[in-house]
Amino acid sequence: MDFHFTDEQRLLRETLSRFCQDHYRFGVQGQTAPRPGYWSELAELGVLALPFQEADGGLGGDMVDAMLVMEVFGKALAPEPYLANIVLAGGVLKRLSDKDRRQALIGELVSGEARIALAHAEATNRDSLSHVDTTARREGNDFVLNGDKIAVLDGAHADTFIVSAMVKGAGLTLFLVPANSPGLSQQGYEGVDGFDTSNLGLANVRIGEEALLCEVGEGLDLLEPAIDDGIVAIGAEAIGIMSFLIEATIDYTKTRKQFDVPISSFQVLQHRMVDMFIEREATVSLLYKAAILAGSGGPEAAKAASALKVHLGRACRVVGQQAVQLHGGMGIADESPVAHYFKRLTIISQQFGAADTHARRYAAIDRRSGDTSKQIA
Amino acid sequence: MNLEFSAEDIAFRDEVRQFFATKYPQDVIAKNEAFVELSKDDYVRAQKALHARGWAGPNWPVEYGGTGWSHTQRYIFFKEMGASGAPWVSPFGLMMVAPVIYTFGTTEQKERFLPDILASNVWWCQGYSEPGAGSDLAALRTSAVRDGDHYVVNGAKMWTTYAQYADWMFCLVRTDASGRKQQGITFLLFPMDSPGITVRPIITVDGTHEVNEVIFDNLRVPVENRVGEEGKGWDYAKYLLTHERTMVADVGRSRHNVERIKKIAAAERTKSGALIDDELFRRRLVDLEVELDALEYTELRLLSEIETGGAPGAESSILKIKGAEIQQAITEFLLEIAGNKALPFVRDRMHPDWDGAPVGPDYAGMAAPRYFNFRKASIYGGTNEIQKNIIAKAVLGL
């Protein structure tokens, strides 16, 4: 049992922190947009290849490494599509059973040439993983896709989508769909959290059998662990954001004077900041557990991811809201960085399913696995 | 980063688990599981069983008869102890006064006191809180005035746990009131049957007798019973507080109790089935389980830090806060599950000698008293508010 980072991991964190300091600046309206060049710089640094197996063209890291990256990005509020491309799309691709295909797709992804986005969420399916309304109808050797996707992260920049759809009689299936496919339409927008996002329309999009990423009906086996990876990633991002907000709040309350004293001298505010700190520490603990277990693929990994997400539901609110509250009006001023960290943290609290969804999943896994009091860790 | 425990640690865990399942007095576990108050004899027998196995001093150095365990082994030991359903070890001798004696005491004091503490031959109680000194412990006013080879002690201590069982007390007294209040405090040891000591029971709201008021009226304590220097008692008391956080999270026991809650809630019926399957109930229970998962890993993170030479800092205050909140939440769940069945208050039921017939199911009769009793968890050992003050100052720099 050991929670220390290796020297390489510490070095990575320093390098990436410097990269963020050099590249990202706050403008009047939040973080400056990412530039296309940054993504290839990150590819050159090896950050994109980090969490993939060496045999697949990666650097042999795992979700603990991805966690480090996301924490640094969170702390800088860096608007890079690491979650969308590397963790989510990459999370599906690294689990493909076809070795040649896996290596080819991961190769394109980690070089920064390809931008692949996961299109799963729908307006009518809330947080369901196993069911979508989008359909894939067989026509000879082809599939014809119909449906509407929302909240496609980095969708506007993607050249390829991983689309989830139901195949009649078989179930959820994942397809690789080029962005320029006839019948595919997209509505891009900036998310309230500053990330480029889009909604996707699929109207009789015809794709060949080669678009299948899994056996028909077995998409959940790829999707579910990839989403759990996503939960680890946003959990780490949340840690970076919470760290920023807690430091900023401490600094602010020490300098802000009211009634002739720094407001940090008020015990009621001190205890709020302690509450923020305690929520952060609990998040770190649940995050480490989920990140370490992420590679194992068992029910304990899924349960740990859901535990993290249940906790994030509350922790993001507590830390975000109190940071704003203790900054007073400045906390909701658009020129204040705190306001923008607050926005991203708010979205994280419900991304990949709100707390209730994951509480249900946690209880379901628990029901199947039984008494946990005899484990030592 | 990894979550693996070594093969040696796993083997050790199995050994500890085996011990509690076979060599430890099973009737004490049964009583504790039934939430019945344990007698002095129950505690002493249980602790003597630990001593017979050589495990009475998990934190003690080997030279005084301690186990010489690693921090990880101690963690495993206490976790398994909690998970077995065994009661806590009365901490006042083994966990509190002993480290002060073997760290600051004279050779003579070590030889005189430590063997009997280790063997649980002598029961100790802690004289810290006073009617006017709780969270502000340094405000204590019990006075000790030097008179030849003795101190003459006058004053009162409050909330003294199991003073009625105790043979000896370790006590903070004021020997000098002229300087800062943290100065002038002295650490004394004395037998509870000394002339001038009166123990007055304080019955808590659940009907149990755990705590007492202890009054000193011209109690004479030989100077040789002073630990360390006169006026340095505050330093020793602080040393004790920062070094004895091993059991504060009590994750093993809480996990064990959460699993019990699940079993009880699976047996309780609602109109639509088992209570455990009620979505609203289960939803809130998940919140508790997740809190416990977080606490468990916070403790493991601290352990990983300590094992590699780091010092346990004010982060251990988190363990105290969350540990207490979770213990209290467990009692809230039990109370809620019991529902109307929590109503009967059989006043003597928690008494060790009670042999009457319960009204309603076993767990339900204890649910309300347990809930009332456990309000103490966020009050003793530094209230949760004091713990937050510590974090604010020491960690956040406020």
Side-chain angles (χ1 to χ4, degrees):
Chain A
M1 188 273 313
D2 177 22
F3 292 94
H4 292 88
F5 293 107
T6 63
D7 289 343
E8 285 98 342
Q9 286 169 329
R10 276 196 289 269
L11 188 65
L12 165 78
R13 180 147 67 181
E14 279 167 36
T15 308
L16 202 57
S17 297
R18 254 198 318 278
F19 178 91
C20 288
Q21 274 165 18
D22 294 345
H23 286 65
Y24 307 112
R25 290 282 178 275
F26 261 93
V28 172
Q29 290 189 313
Q31 186 65 280
T32 53
R35 300 204 190 113
Y38 292 176
W39 194 241
S40 44
E41 277 187 58
L42 289 167
E44 281 164 33
L45 284 172
V47 176
L48 306 191
L50 192 62
F52 297 100
Q53 287 183 17
E54 285 179 64
D56 294 341
L59 294 181
D62 55 21
M63 280 312 292
V64 173
D65 299 287
M67 171 181 88
L68 274 175
V69 172
M70 287 301 293
E71 183 183 341
V72 174
F73 280 159
K75 187 132 195 219
L77 207 66
E80 297 298 341
Y82 198 80
L83 170 65
N85 284 270
I86 304 304
V87 178
L88 292 177
V92 169
L93 299 178
K94 76 182 182 189
R95 291 178 170 92
L96 296 183
S97 51
D98 180 343
K99 186 175 128 221
D100 293 340
R101 191 144 188 235
R102 189 175 71 227
Q103 291 176 349
L105 286 166
I106 289 174
E108 288 175 34
L109 198 65
V110 303
S111 68
E113 290 159 30
R115 296 278 278 263
I116 306 176
L118 176 66
H120 170 71
E122 298 179 354
T124 48
N125 282 303
R126 296 197 65 83
D127 303 324
S128 170
L129 286 183
S130 56
H131 182 82
V132 289
D133 285 343
T134 297
T135 57
R137 192 177 69 244
R138 264 187 198 282
E139 280 191 12
N141 286 333
D142 291 346
F143 289 90
V144 177
L145 302 185
N146 278 287
D148 294 295
K149 298 290 184 178
I150 63 169
V152 181
L153 304 181
D154 204 40
H157 305 285
D159 35 61
T160 311
F161 295 98
I162 296 171
V163 176
S164 59
M166 303 305 280
V167 174
K168 202 171 181 182
L172 191 91
T173 307
L174 299 185
F175 298 91
L176 203 60
V177 181
N180 58 8
S181 301
L184 188 151
S185 62
Q186 213 180 159
Q187 180 191 15
Y189 51 87
E190 186 194 339
V192 290
D193 56 2
F195 282 85
D196 286 335
T197 311
S198 70
N199 290 355
L200 214 60
L202 301 152
N204 291 317
V205 174
R206 179 177 292 272
I207 45 176
E209 218 170 19
E210 73 284 355
L212 275 173
L213 283 175
C214 57
E215 297 293 323
V216 172
E218 293 180 4
L220 194 61
D221 295 345
L222 297 177
L223 181 68
E224 194 171 357
I227 297 285
D228 282 345
D229 286 353
I231 290 171
V232 169
I234 60 172
E237 188 185 359
I239 292 301
I241 293 174
M242 290 181 197
S243 299
F244 174 89
L245 287 174
I246 291 168
E247 285 167 26
T249 305
I250 290 171
D251 288 348
Y252 180 79
T253 56
K254 279 180 166 176
T255 50
R256 170 76 174 167
K257 284 191 174 174
Q258 290 289 275
F259 311 103
D260 303 322
V261 292
I263 60 173
S264 64
S265 63
F266 301 136
Q267 193 179 46
V268 68
L269 300 196
Q270 290 179 356
H271 283 198
R272 296 275 184 85
M273 287 183 265
V274 171
D275 291 341
M276 294 163 76
F277 170 75
I278 289 175
E279 291 293 347
R280 180 195 172 278
E281 288 305 305
T283 311
V284 171
S285 296
L286 293 166
L287 172 67
Y288 283 3
K289 180 178 186 184
I292 295 169
L293 286 174
S296 71
E300 280 306 308
K303 194 176 168 191
S306 279
L308 172 61
K309 201 68 209 0
V310 168
H311 180 76
L312 279 169
R314 187 186 65 215
C316 291
R317 295 273 159 89
V318 170
V319 176
Q321 290 176 359
Q322 292 308 326
V324 168
Q325 180 70 19
L326 270 59
H327 274 81
M330 284 312 294
I332 45 171
D334 202 34
E335 66 183 78
S336 154
V338 165
H340 297 274
Y341 282 85
F342 166 59
K343 285 160 83 173
R344 175 61 190 142
L345 198 59
T346 302
I347 294 306
I348 287 175
S349 74
Q350 57 188 46
Q351 204 157 26
F352 308 132
D356 283 356
T357 302
H358 285 278
R360 201 175 284 122
R361 183 170 178 244
Y362 182 102
I365 298 168
D366 185 66
R367 204 171 293 130
R368 288 194 295 269
S369 60
D371 192 329
T372 56
S373 64
K374 295 294 178 196
Q375 296 155 6
I376 57 172
Chain B
M1 277 200 183
N2 69 79
L3 301 178
E4 316 291 318
F5 279 77
S6 69
E8 291 78 23
D9 286 337
I10 301 279
F12 175 72
R13 176 201 65 187
D14 293 341
E15 196 184 342
V16 174
R17 193 172 290 178
Q18 181 71 14
F19 169 82
F20 280 106
T22 56
K23 298 283 191 291
Y24 188 91
Q26 299 299 300
D27 63 309
V28 174
I29 289 182
K31 241 168 145 176
N32 192 51
E33 289 283 81
F35 303 133
V36 176
E37 197 182 354
L38 300 182
S39 67
K40 178 178 179 179
D41 174 66
D42 291 330
Y43 281 113
V44 170
R45 271 191 299 127
Q47 285 170 209
K48 281 185 175 292
L50 288 174
H51 179 55
R53 185 67 184 78
W55 290 352
N59 302 340
W60 293 34
V62 177
E63 57 173 314
Y64 303 120
T67 56
W69 285 339
S70 67
H71 291 280
T72 301
Q73 284 177 306
R74 289 180 209 173
Y75 168 84
I76 290 170
F77 175 77
F78 284 113
K79 193 156 182 208
E80 288 298 323
M81 186 165 84
S84 75
W88 70 337
V89 170
S90 173
F92 308 107
L94 287 162
M95 315 277 173
M96 293 180 169
V97 75
V100 173
I101 292 173
Y102 64 62
T103 309
F104 302 106
T106 62
T107 308
E108 197 266 329
Q109 285 172 335
K110 291 177 194 174
E111 284 168 1
R112 182 175 170 201
F113 293 113
L114 293 178
D116 278 341
I117 295 175
L118 197 65
S120 290
N121 291 334
V122 171
W123 186 295
W124 287 77
C125 66
Q126 178 190 43
Y128 272 30
S129 294
E130 294 185 4
S135 291
D136 183 11
L137 182 61
L140 60 92
R141 290 168 59 186
T142 293
S143 70
V145 178
R146 188 75 179 257
D147 177 22
D149 290 340
H150 284 77
Y151 288 102
V152 180
V153 179
N154 281 286
K157 293 290 172 181
M158 277 285 272
W159 314 120
T160 312
T161 301
Y162 290 141
Q164 76 271 30
Y165 294 165
D167 306 301
W168 280 71
M169 174 184 273
F170 61 97
C171 190
L172 296 178
V173 295
R174 182 159 302 286
T175 41
D176 181 0
S178 62
R180 280 180 65 231
K181 63 183 176 184
Q182 285 82 5
Q183 292 160 354
I185 292 173
T186 298
F187 199 104
L188 294 184
L189 315 174
F190 46 81
M192 288 296 284
D193 60 3
S194 312
I197 298 182
T198 308
V199 177
R200 283 177 35 194
I202 300 172
I203 305 301
T204 42
V205 66
D206 55 318
T208 59
H209 177 199
E210 279 183 348
V211 288
N212 303 272
E213 184 173 12
V214 182
I215 297 152
F216 311 115
D217 179 16
N218 288 320
L219 163 71
R220 294 184 70 82
V221 180
V223 171
E224 66 196 45
N225 285 9
R226 185 189 70 215
V227 179
E229 294 174 48
E230 185 175 298
K232 291 278 179 27
W234 186 251
D235 295 345
Y236 312 143
K238 266 191 4 193
Y239 166 87
L240 191 161
L241 282 173
T242 50
H243 282 74
E244 296 308 324
R245 291 280 184 209
T246 324
M247 301 200 303
V248 78
D250 224 359
V251 167
R253 187 177 312 280
S254 287
R255 182 76 69 191
H256 176 73
N257 285 333
V258 166
E259 293 302 327
R260 282 191 73 190
I261 285 176
K262 287 189 204 164
K263 288 191 186 95
I264 293 168
E268 282 287 331
R269 313 306 295 180
T270 70
K271 206 172 80 180
S272 52
L275 179 60
I276 187 77
D277 295 325
D278 180 285
E279 276 233 317
L280 295 180
F281 175 84
R282 194 67 184 89
R283 171 71 187 84
R284 285 181 299 114
L285 189 57
V286 167
D287 269 339
L288 174 62
E289 291 184 83
V290 169
E291 290 262 300
L292 188 52
D293 289 347
L295 180 64
E296 178 176 6
Y297 275 76
T298 302
E299 190 176 27
L300 286 170
R301 283 167 57 209
L302 210 56
L303 180 63
S304 164
E305 204 54 45
I306 294 169
E307 278 289 20
T308 49
E315 284 84 357
S316 60
S317 289
I318 295 181
L319 302 184
K320 169 65 172 56
I321 294 170
K322 299 309 279 188
E325 285 179 358
I326 287 168
Q327 288 161 35
Q328 292 177 333
I330 286 169
T331 67
E332 286 174 33
F333 268 99
L334 265 183
L335 179 65
E336 183 189 323
I337 295 169
N340 281 328
K341 287 175 277 190
L343 193 57
F345 182 31
V346 182
R347 190 170 277 277
D348 294 332
R349 199 187 144 149
M350 281 183 89
H351 193 272
D353 300 330
W354 184 74
D355 62 354
V359 182
D362 243 12
Y363 83 87
M366 307 310 288
R370 288 272 293 181
Y371 168 77
F372 298 138
N373 182 281
F374 262 75
R375 301 319 300 165
K376 71 188 176 188
S378 52
I379 298 169
Y380 61 49
T383 64
N384 279 17
E385 288 73 22
I386 290 291
Q387 303 299 333
K388 287 188 179 184
N389 288 353
I390 292 171
I391 294 172
K393 193 174 164 196
V395 182
L396 303 185
L398 291 167

